[in-house]
Amino acid sequence: MLELNKVRLVHNQGTSTEVVALHDLSLKVDTGQFVTVVGANGAGKSSMIQVISGAARPTSGTVRIGGADVTLRPDFGRARQVARVFDDPRAGTAPELSIEENLALAMSRGRRRRLRFAVTRSRRSVMREHLKQLGLGLEERLSAPVALLSAGQRQSLTMIMAGLTQPDVLLLDEHLAALDPGTAQRVLALTVDLSAELSCTSVMITHNMEQAISVGDRLLVMGRGRVIADISGAEKASLTVPGLVSRITEAGAEASDRMMLSPRSG
Ligand SMILES: Nc1ncnc2c1ncn2[C@@H]1O[C@H](COP(=O)(O)OP(=O)(O)OP(=O)(O)O)[C@@H](O)[C@H]1O
């Protein structure tokens, strides 16, 4: 279970550029649930991912993963619980290291430092099995530097690395945005399979409305730091792209109205 309780996040607090990115956001996501998140630019989607991953510490409120309060635990202290995949395919891998060294890093995340890059025979065979599933031939290029891979190959590798850490929570921050439509479709299928295989809690931010509707068990619409709509079941199944777009537009307008009425909460 992932639980956010009245999480408030203020960027640049006390300065002229202060922004309230999350307004007392409360959310419970069951273990194994796959949630897609949509919202206008600046709605607070990435900020929510940051407080879950530990990249940002909430100004107030709590974050719990599997019942444990992790609010004050920094991102490196959550590395075994939370895996995060970014929109930039270059962000999740070390370019100067080979494919097998990157995978070894993922396999030993959170373990003692001297074991981190160890590429043992047994590890190599596990790596080959995982890479074969991608159908990209990467299992034959284990010693190739990751810098030589295409964006789609790198993001596929990042997904495999995320899976190897066996996280409780998988965070996907527009991770398909830089990929061509065919590659995005393949990486999306890999994401869904991996999430089911790991039975982890998955949170996927996307600006692709079709993906938001068709993937996952639950869809959150965010607007100005709040969850404005929480859609699942039959309601989600019957959503259309124009219908979802108007929910997002309404969300922005509603939040603006609230700000006008109560400037201190905005
Ligand atoms: N590091 C930061 N410093 C100051 N303000 C920030 C920072 N990060 C985000 N913000 C602000 O917080 C608000 C929420 O931003 P956030 O990136 O969470 O939105 P988002 O929904 O992910 O947007 P997008 O779809 O454009 O990626 C915005 O007003 C943004 O300008």
Side-chain angles (χ1 to χ4, degrees), residues 15-31:
T15 71
S16 58
T17 56
E18 179 173 303
V19 177
V20 183
L22 298 176
H23 291 264
D24 300 335
L25 182 74
S26 293
L27 177 69
K28 280 184 187 174
V29 188
D30 289 335
T31 302

Side-chain angles (χ1 to χ4, degrees), residues 11-12 17 19 21 39-48 50 174 207:
H11 292 292
N12 303 336
T17 56
V19 177
N41 293 128
K45 305 179 295 297
S46 293
S47 295
M48 180 173 77
Q50 283 174 23
E174 291 184 57
H207 282 295

Side-chain angles (χ1 to χ4, degrees), residues 20-184:
V20 183
L22 298 176
H23 291 264
D24 300 335
L25 182 74
S26 293
L27 177 69
K28 280 184 187 174
V29 188
D30 289 335
T31 302
Q33 202 168 45
F34 196 125
V35 178
T36 54
V37 183
V38 297
N41 293 128
K45 305 179 295 297
S46 293
S47 295
M48 180 173 77
I49 292 265
Q50 283 174 23
V51 298
I52 298 171
S53 70
R57 183 179 288 186
T59 311
S60 58
T62 55
V63 179
R64 288 177 170 272
I65 297 175
D69 188 338
V70 296
T71 316
L72 301 180
R73 206 179 288 173
D75 48 2
F76 56 84
R78 299 183 202 182
R80 287 198 77 74
Q81 289 170 296
V82 180
R84 183 175 174 191
V85 184
F86 297 87
D87 55 345
D88 182 352
R90 291 167 302 181
T93 45
E96 72 284 4
L97 299 183
S98 64
I99 293 176
E100 62 185 6
E101 285 168 335
N102 271 278
L103 289 168
L105 257 179
M107 283 171 154
S108 53
R109 195 157 284 163
R111 303 224 175 102
R112 281 176 302 164
R113 203 171 181 79
R114 73 185 171 83
L115 283 177
R116 288 175 86 198
F117 294 97
V119 181
T120 59
R121 189 190 294 232
S122 67
R123 276 186 171 179
R124 205 174 261 135
S125 115
V126 174
M127 289 172 188
R128 285 216 170 86
E129 282 312 305
H130 282 283
L131 290 173
K132 257 189 211 158
Q133 293 169 15
L134 298 177
L136 298 170
L138 296 183
E139 66 278 11
E140 305 301 334
R141 301 172 62 191
L142 283 179
S143 57
V146 162
L148 298 182
L149 303 183
S150 71
Q153 289 169 335
R154 267 179 95 156
Q155 204 64 325
S156 303
L157 182 62
T158 304
M159 289 306 305
I160 296 284
M161 289 170 66
L164 286 171
T165 64
Q166 301 199 302
D168 299 321
V169 180
L170 178 61
L171 301 175
L172 308 152
D173 194 348
E174 291 184 57
H175 73 310
L176 308 174
L179 307 179
D180 71 69
T183 308

